[in-house]
Each structure stands twice: as C-alpha cells, then as structure tokens.
Amino acid sequence: DVRRADIASTTKDLGAYEFNGVPNSLNSLSAANTFSIAQTGANFTVNGIADATYAVYSVNGSQVATGVIKAGMFNMNANKGIYLLKVNEQVAKFSVR
C-alpha cells in the first residue's frame, strides 16, 4: 500500500534521549525535601520544620487547607486520599488513610 509507505517514511524514531530539565513526578518532588510527614488522626507532625506557613492541595490542584505549622505540628480534617503539602517552597506528598 503506497499510502502506508508514505506515512512510515515520514515518521521519526526519537529513540533514547537525555532530559536535563526539571522532573515533574510526585516522587521526585518529595525526594529533595528536608522534611517528612507523619499522621495521627487529624494531627500531622512535620519532621524538619518547626514553625512555618503551609498549604495543602489535593492531587487535582485544589487548595484544601492553609495555616501555620507550630512546633512541627498542624491539624487538618481531610477525607481519605493523596495530598500535597507545600512549606517554604518545598512540596511533599502524603496520604490520609
């Protein structure tokens, strides 16, 4: 089929390439953080952050909470799911079970 040969001859195989930009996966965001998150009920402990403002986002990008981390702790009532915590321009993912 001539049409199929024309299509095949115009496609480009990119093969393997190196990416030197900023990765955008959730795992790569949390890997560079200097803090971690632990949960007990509605209480969250942020290890590595004593006092700072924070914002919590759902995975669809909606902001669901903001406040101040005091003595490494904050309180948030949230539904089960995966969330992103942003503190001091750092972001880490965590889950509520």
Side-chain angles (χ1 to χ4, degrees):
D1 184 45
V2 173
R3 289 175 290 165
R4 188 158 185 80
D6 289 339
I7 292 171
S9 66
T10 60
T11 59
K12 305 273 185 210
D13 179 13
L14 296 178
Y17 65 96
E18 291 185 28
F19 177 70
N20 294 323
V22 177
N24 65 0
S25 72
L26 294 178
N27 290 332
S28 63
L29 288 173
S30 61
N33 288 331
T34 58
F35 66 92
S36 62
I37 307 159
Q39 176 193 5
T40 305
N43 296 314
F44 294 84
T45 303
V46 182
N47 299 309
I49 303 288
D51 299 308
T53 58
Y54 72 89
V56 177
Y57 299 89
S58 65
V59 292
N60 69 5
S62 300
Q63 189 177 62
V64 296
T66 60
V68 177
I69 296 171
K70 294 182 182 178
M73 298 190 73
F74 71 94
N75 185 287
M76 179 181 85
N77 291 319
N79 295 327
K80 292 180 182 180
I82 298 174
Y83 295 90
L84 302 172
L85 173 66
K86 182 177 181 180
V87 180
N88 298 333
E89 301 304 316
Q90 296 182 65
V91 179
K93 72 176 178 177
F94 68 98
S95 62
V96 175
R97 297 177 185 186

